[in-house]
Amino acid sequence: MDADPCTQAERCDESLRQCVFEGLDGDGDDALPVICGGTDCDDDNPRNAPTLAERCDGADNNCNGTADEGEDSALCGADDARCVRGRCECPAGQGYCPRESASGFHCIDVQSDPENCGACGASCPADTTCVGGQCTCPGGLTLCGSACADLSTDRNHCGACGAACDDGENCADGECAPCGRLDEPCCGGVRCEDQFTECGRRGTCVAKACSEPFEALPVTLLPRCTAETWACVEACEEDGCLLDCLEADTTPPRSFAGQSFNCLDCISHQMEACAAQTTCRTTQAAMYCCIEERCGGTVDSRCESRCSFEFDEHNSCLTLMGCAYILEAEQLLSCFP
């Protein structure tokens, strides 16, 4: 063993009957440093060795005494790139980007490439294009996060990305407002708040016009249910027995406008007449729209299934507005004496 730093792992080889050693190679690139008589100009960096090609990095990669010498295209691996102060630069509007399917780099137009929009690797979301280095939505829409939005109507991005409207508000002309409700101006002159209303000719939200307005039965047809039936109803403690009471009513049916009404029919009709005088006329119209459009105007079990949402919404409104299943004498024109 000696103090020479250029000899490493010294040992005695008995077969040769002499001392052997390994040359100093601090960076493991199989080239000895200059101080040890080799040609490696930087033994601490494997990117610099006499066997390597010169690159654009501000270093003497091939150890010939000069950094970044040679053709720009060879130093950068891209035809249009230039080596400037140890860094590869592409023409204005282009980026020095890694190749997708091969090693190395190339110059690419980051002003229009949707996979490298504005910067290498910055891909645009679906349905957008890259214009001037910005991901752009079609038709005047604005990119909010990863999706395009209409800031004039989008409740989650009303007037600006992330500016969400509160529950019960709509976005109209970029502002959150409780517009488009029944008897109120239509949002943007064309839309209404819910699916039960539509924009009328005067720009006001009205109930959908799918059926004739309901009117209460005239006094000449009432009362239609007997006092005994009313007593039966008052004695009911379960919902199911109410229907039993009404169906058991013995008063003969009467006709009005070509339709026959017994006790149960009278209750149902007057309940709808009550709804027509409240905001329930919107759910009522939607229910009858569904009956006409999906059921051919006939209410049966299949229709109740096809229009279950509309039926449920209308029934909920009837309960909320006080148009109860059983109309008492002080309500509307009651079917009871």
Side-chain angles (χ1 to χ4, degrees), residues 52-79 81-88:
L52 299 179
E54 192 70 12
R55 294 183 301 276
C56 179
D57 59 2
D60 183 12
N61 306 114
N62 59 9
C63 291
N64 69 350
T66 304
D68 297 344
E69 87 282 358
E71 294 290 334
D72 288 328
S73 59
L75 293 172
C76 296
D79 292 339
R82 295 177 60 247
C83 183
V84 181
R85 294 185 294 276
R87 179 178 178 180
C88 291

Coordinates of all heavy atoms in Angstrom, one line a residue, residues 52-79 81-88:
L52 N -17.3 11.0 -24.7 CA -18.7 11.5 -24.8 C -18.9 12.6 -25.9 O -17.9 13.3 -26.2 CB -19.2 12.0 -23.5 CG -19.2 11.0 -22.3 CD1 -19.7 11.7 -21.0 CD2 -20.1 9.8 -22.6
A53 N -20.1 12.7 -26.4 CA -20.4 13.8 -27.3 C -20.7 15.1 -26.6 O -21.2 15.1 -25.5 CB -21.6 13.4 -28.2
E54 N -20.4 16.2 -27.2 CA -20.6 17.5 -26.6 C -22.1 17.8 -26.6 O -22.8 17.5 -27.6 CB -19.9 18.6 -27.4 CG -19.8 19.9 -26.7 CD -19.0 19.9 -25.4 OE1 -18.2 18.9 -25.2 OE2 -19.0 20.9 -24.7
R55 N -22.6 18.3 -25.5 CA -24.0 18.7 -25.4 C -24.1 20.2 -25.0 O -23.1 20.8 -24.6 CB -24.8 17.9 -24.4 CG -24.9 16.4 -24.7 CD -25.7 15.7 -23.6 NE -25.1 15.9 -22.3 CZ -24.1 15.1 -21.8 NH1 -23.6 14.1 -22.6 NH2 -23.6 15.2 -20.6
C56 N -25.3 20.8 -25.2 CA -25.5 22.2 -24.8 C -25.9 22.2 -23.4 O -27.1 22.2 -23.0 CB -26.6 22.8 -25.7 SG -27.0 24.5 -25.3
D57 N -24.9 22.4 -22.5 CA -25.2 22.4 -21.1 C -24.2 23.3 -20.3 O -24.1 23.3 -19.1 CB -25.2 21.0 -20.4 CG -23.9 20.3 -20.6 OD1 -22.9 20.9 -21.2 OD2 -23.8 19.1 -20.2
G58 N -23.3 24.0 -21.1 CA -22.3 24.9 -20.5 C -21.1 24.2 -19.9 O -20.3 24.8 -19.3
A59 N -21.0 22.9 -20.2 CA -19.9 22.1 -19.7 C -19.0 21.5 -20.8 O -19.5 21.4 -22.0 CB -20.4 21.0 -18.8
D60 N -17.8 21.2 -20.5 CA -16.9 20.6 -21.6 C -17.1 19.1 -21.5 O -16.3 18.3 -20.9 CB -15.4 21.0 -21.2 CG -14.5 20.4 -22.3 OD1 -14.9 20.0 -23.3 OD2 -13.3 20.4 -22.0
N61 N -18.2 18.6 -22.2 CA -18.5 17.2 -22.1 C -17.5 16.3 -22.7 O -17.3 15.2 -22.2 CB -19.9 17.0 -22.8 CG -21.0 17.9 -22.3 OD1 -21.4 18.8 -23.1 ND2 -21.4 17.8 -21.1
N62 N -16.8 16.7 -23.8 CA -15.9 15.7 -24.4 C -14.4 16.0 -24.0 O -13.5 15.5 -24.6 CB -16.0 15.8 -25.9 CG -15.8 17.2 -26.5 OD1 -15.4 18.1 -25.7 ND2 -16.0 17.4 -27.8
C63 N -14.3 16.9 -23.0 CA -13.0 17.2 -22.4 C -11.9 17.6 -23.5 O -10.7 17.2 -23.4 CB -12.5 16.0 -21.7 SG -13.4 15.6 -20.2
N64 N -12.3 18.5 -24.4 CA -11.4 19.0 -25.4 C -10.9 20.4 -25.1 O -10.3 21.1 -25.9 CB -11.9 18.9 -26.8 CG -13.1 19.8 -27.1 OD1 -13.6 20.4 -26.1 ND2 -13.5 20.0 -28.3
G65 N -11.4 20.9 -24.0 CA -11.0 22.2 -23.5 C -12.0 23.3 -23.9 O -11.8 24.5 -23.5
T66 N -13.1 23.0 -24.6 CA -14.1 24.0 -25.0 C -15.5 23.5 -24.7 O -15.8 22.3 -24.9 CB -14.0 24.3 -26.5 OG1 -12.6 24.7 -26.8 CG2 -14.9 25.4 -26.9
A67 N -16.3 24.3 -24.1 CA -17.7 24.0 -23.8 C -18.6 24.4 -24.9 O -18.5 25.4 -25.5 CB -18.1 24.6 -22.5
D68 N -19.6 23.5 -25.2 CA -20.7 23.8 -26.1 C -20.2 24.1 -27.5 O -20.7 25.0 -28.2 CB -21.6 25.0 -25.6 CG -22.3 24.6 -24.3 OD1 -22.3 23.5 -24.0 OD2 -22.7 25.6 -23.7
E69 N -19.2 23.5 -28.0 CA -18.7 23.7 -29.4 C -19.4 22.7 -30.3 O -19.8 21.6 -29.9 CB -17.2 23.6 -29.5 CG -16.6 22.2 -29.8 CD -16.6 21.3 -28.5 OE1 -17.0 21.8 -27.4 OE2 -16.2 20.2 -28.7
G70 N -19.6 23.2 -31.5 CA -20.2 22.3 -32.5 C -21.5 22.9 -33.1 O -21.9 24.1 -32.8
E71 N -22.1 22.2 -33.9 CA -23.4 22.6 -34.5 C -24.5 22.7 -33.5 O -24.6 21.8 -32.7 CB -23.8 21.7 -35.7 CG -22.8 21.8 -36.9 CD -22.9 23.1 -37.6 OE1 -24.0 23.7 -37.5 OE2 -21.9 23.5 -38.3
D72 N -25.3 23.7 -33.6 CA -26.5 23.8 -32.6 C -27.4 22.6 -32.7 O -27.9 22.1 -31.7 CB -27.3 25.1 -33.0 CG -26.5 26.4 -32.5 OD1 -25.8 26.3 -31.6 OD2 -26.7 27.4 -33.2
S73 N -27.7 22.2 -33.9 CA -28.6 21.0 -34.1 C -28.1 19.8 -33.4 O -28.8 19.0 -32.9 CB -28.9 20.8 -35.6 OG -27.7 20.5 -36.3
A74 N -26.8 19.6 -33.5 CA -26.2 18.4 -32.9 C -26.1 18.5 -31.4 O -26.4 17.6 -30.6 CB -24.7 18.2 -33.4
L75 N -25.8 19.7 -30.9 CA -25.8 20.0 -29.5 C -27.1 19.8 -28.8 O -27.2 19.3 -27.7 CB -25.2 21.4 -29.2 CG -23.8 21.6 -29.5 CD1 -23.4 23.1 -29.4 CD2 -22.8 20.8 -28.7
C76 N -28.2 20.2 -29.5 CA -29.6 20.2 -28.9 C -30.4 19.0 -29.4 O -31.4 18.7 -28.8 CB -30.3 21.5 -29.3 SG -29.5 23.0 -28.5
G77 N -30.0 18.4 -30.5 CA -30.8 17.3 -31.0 C -32.1 17.7 -31.7 O -33.0 16.9 -31.9
A78 N -32.2 19.0 -32.0 CA -33.3 19.5 -32.7 C -32.9 20.5 -33.8 O -32.0 21.3 -33.6 CB -34.3 20.2 -31.8
D79 N -33.4 20.3 -35.0 CA -32.9 21.1 -36.2 C -33.0 22.6 -36.0 O -32.1 23.3 -36.4 CB -33.7 20.7 -37.4 CG -33.4 19.2 -37.9 OD1 -32.4 18.7 -37.5 OD2 -34.2 18.7 -38.6
A81 N -33.2 24.3 -33.1 CA -32.8 24.9 -31.8 C -31.4 25.5 -31.9 O -30.6 25.1 -32.7 CB -32.8 23.7 -30.8
R82 N -31.1 26.4 -31.0 CA -29.8 27.1 -30.9 C -29.4 26.9 -29.5 O -30.1 27.0 -28.5 CB -29.9 28.6 -31.3 CG -30.3 28.8 -32.7 CD -30.4 30.3 -33.0 NE -29.1 31.0 -32.8 CZ -29.0 31.9 -31.8 NH1 -30.0 32.2 -31.0 NH2 -27.8 32.5 -31.6
C83 N -28.0 26.7 -29.3 CA -27.4 26.6 -28.0 C -27.0 28.0 -27.6 O -26.1 28.6 -28.2 CB -26.2 25.7 -28.0 SG -25.5 25.4 -26.4
V84 N -27.7 28.6 -26.5 CA -27.4 29.9 -26.1 C -27.0 29.9 -24.6 O -27.9 29.5 -23.7 CB -28.6 30.8 -26.3 CG1 -28.3 32.2 -25.8 CG2 -29.0 30.9 -27.7
R85 N -25.8 30.1 -24.3 CA -25.3 30.2 -22.9 C -25.6 28.9 -22.1 O -26.2 28.9 -21.0 CB -25.8 31.4 -22.2 CG -25.2 32.7 -22.7 CD -25.7 33.9 -21.9 NE -27.1 34.1 -22.0 CZ -27.7 34.7 -23.0 NH1 -26.9 35.3 -24.0 NH2 -29.0 34.9 -23.1
G86 N -25.4 27.8 -22.8 CA -25.6 26.5 -22.1 C -27.0 26.0 -22.1 O -27.4 25.1 -21.3
R87 N -27.9 26.6 -22.9 CA -29.3 26.2 -22.9 C -29.8 26.2 -24.3 O -29.5 27.1 -25.1 CB -30.1 27.2 -22.0 CG -31.6 26.9 -22.0 CD -32.3 27.9 -21.1 NE -33.7 27.7 -21.1 CZ -34.6 28.4 -20.4 NH1 -34.1 29.4 -19.6 NH2 -35.8 28.2 -20.4
C88 N -30.6 25.2 -24.6 CA -31.2 25.1 -26.0 C -32.4 25.9 -26.1 O -33.3 25.8 -25.2 CB -31.5 23.6 -26.3 SG -30.1 22.6 -26.5

